[in-house]
Amino acid sequence: IFLFAIAVSHLPGCNAPSTNADIEKAQEVRPEDAREKPIIFTTNYPLTYFAERITDGAVTINYLVPPNIDSSLWRPKPTDVAQMQTGDLIFINGVTYEKWLDFVSLPESKLIDTSVVFQEQYLEIENSQTHRHGPEGEHTHTGTVAITWLNLQFAIAQADTIRAALMRLRPDLAATFQENFLSLKQDLEDLDKELETALGPYINQPLLAPYPMYEYLAQRYNLNLKSVSWE
């Protein structure tokens, strides 16, 4: 049995599904509300990285999660919520990643769910157990798997949703955002191929992961992966 704990959740660097018409309409941003330099907020590092690559400095990006905190366990303070309320857009991962959204008030018109475009492909967590990660306290990984970007095809779809929202916010920069997105997309496609090659020899091997997190990676590369709770 192989222990599988590849740390691709922080890899920076693939044809992505386009945002459908209903989502485009629901997440429409009025051009007259745009600032000279828009302010956006992101709720995890992958989204921050995608936004940085696509905007290349044309937008102020705020990522409020402290560096020593797991973003999936982060709970914003009232001052953080107040900051987000002043932004032009708030990019969330969705799929229950931001559990704190049920307890704060943010303008729905500014919230952009980056994973809803592939919601029919969400995966459910199986055999979850209560445990703890250091000082964050006890919790249970239940419900839907939220670490979507480990499937690089889903990562591209999330980046594409960011691109579309930014182009609606700043249509004058649409060409730049599109060009930067295509560059990011190519990098993610290349990484997808590298992972497929690297993981290919393990397709028929039994693999273990130390906690529920890698299901989308396992799905993408046809891995026989089971999660345990070592905590």
Side-chain angles (χ1 to χ4, degrees):
I1 297 177
F2 289 82
L3 170 63
F4 188 69
I6 185 169
V8 291
S9 59
H10 296 290
L11 284 175
C14 148
N15 202 335
S18 300
T19 309
N20 62 44
D22 291 337
I23 296 169
E24 291 278 353
K25 183 177 180 180
Q27 298 179 342
E28 183 177 1
V29 180
R30 294 178 297 171
E32 61 267 28
D33 290 338
R35 311 176 188 188
E36 183 176 350
K37 190 170 183 179
I39 297 175
I40 69 172
F41 289 84
T42 55
T43 58
N44 64 28
Y45 176 72
L47 299 183
T48 305
Y49 177 76
F50 298 159
E52 289 174 344
R53 286 285 304 269
I54 293 168
T55 61
D56 194 23
V59 168
T60 299
I61 302 172
N62 291 300
Y63 176 50
L64 302 178
V65 182
N68 61 330
I69 298 295
D70 182 338
S71 58
S72 67
L73 303 176
W74 178 64
R75 299 293 182 268
K77 300 176 183 178
T79 53
D80 298 325
V81 176
Q83 275 191 268
M84 286 189 280
Q85 290 171 339
T86 67
D88 292 288
L89 295 175
I90 306 166
F91 292 107
I92 64 173
N93 191 81
V95 205
T96 71
Y97 188 88
E98 298 86 359
K99 295 179 176 60
W100 48 266
L101 277 175
D102 293 333
F103 307 99
V104 303
S105 177
L106 293 173
E108 289 189 11
S109 61
K110 297 181 179 182
L111 285 172
I112 307 297
D113 187 332
T114 62
S115 64
V116 71
V117 292
F118 49 84
Q119 59 184 330
E120 294 182 358
Q121 300 179 67
Y122 291 166
L123 299 175
E124 296 296 320
I125 296 176
E126 299 179 357
N127 303 320
S128 61
Q129 296 180 6
T130 299
H131 59 280
R132 63 184 297 141
H133 298 281
E136 287 85 1
E138 291 189 348
H139 65 281
T140 304
H141 297 284
T142 59
T144 310
V145 183
I147 314 300
T148 52
W149 62 89
L150 295 189
N151 181 330
L152 275 296
Q153 297 295 324
F154 290 168
I156 291 175
Q158 293 183 262
D160 192 36
T161 300
I162 293 173
R163 172 205 60 79
L166 289 169
M167 289 173 68
R168 294 192 298 272
L169 182 68
R170 287 296 303 268
D172 55 314
L173 296 174
T176 298
F177 293 159
Q178 177 68 13
E179 181 180 358
N180 291 342
F181 165 73
L182 292 176
S183 174
L184 170 62
K185 176 175 174 287
Q186 184 62 61
D187 287 345
L188 293 175
E189 287 177 338
D190 291 344
L191 182 58
D192 185 42
K193 293 177 182 177
E194 290 178 18
L195 284 171
E196 187 173 24
T197 299
L199 297 174
Y202 301 100
I203 288 178
N204 295 318
Q205 299 291 334
L207 304 171
L208 292 179
Y211 37 76
M213 174 178 170
Y214 301 100
E215 284 81 354
Y216 289 106
L217 188 91
Q219 177 196 52
R220 171 62 183 152
Y221 304 110
N222 298 312
L223 300 175
N224 177 21
L225 178 67
K226 302 297 181 183
S227 295
V228 297
S229 293
W230 282 9
E231 292 89 351

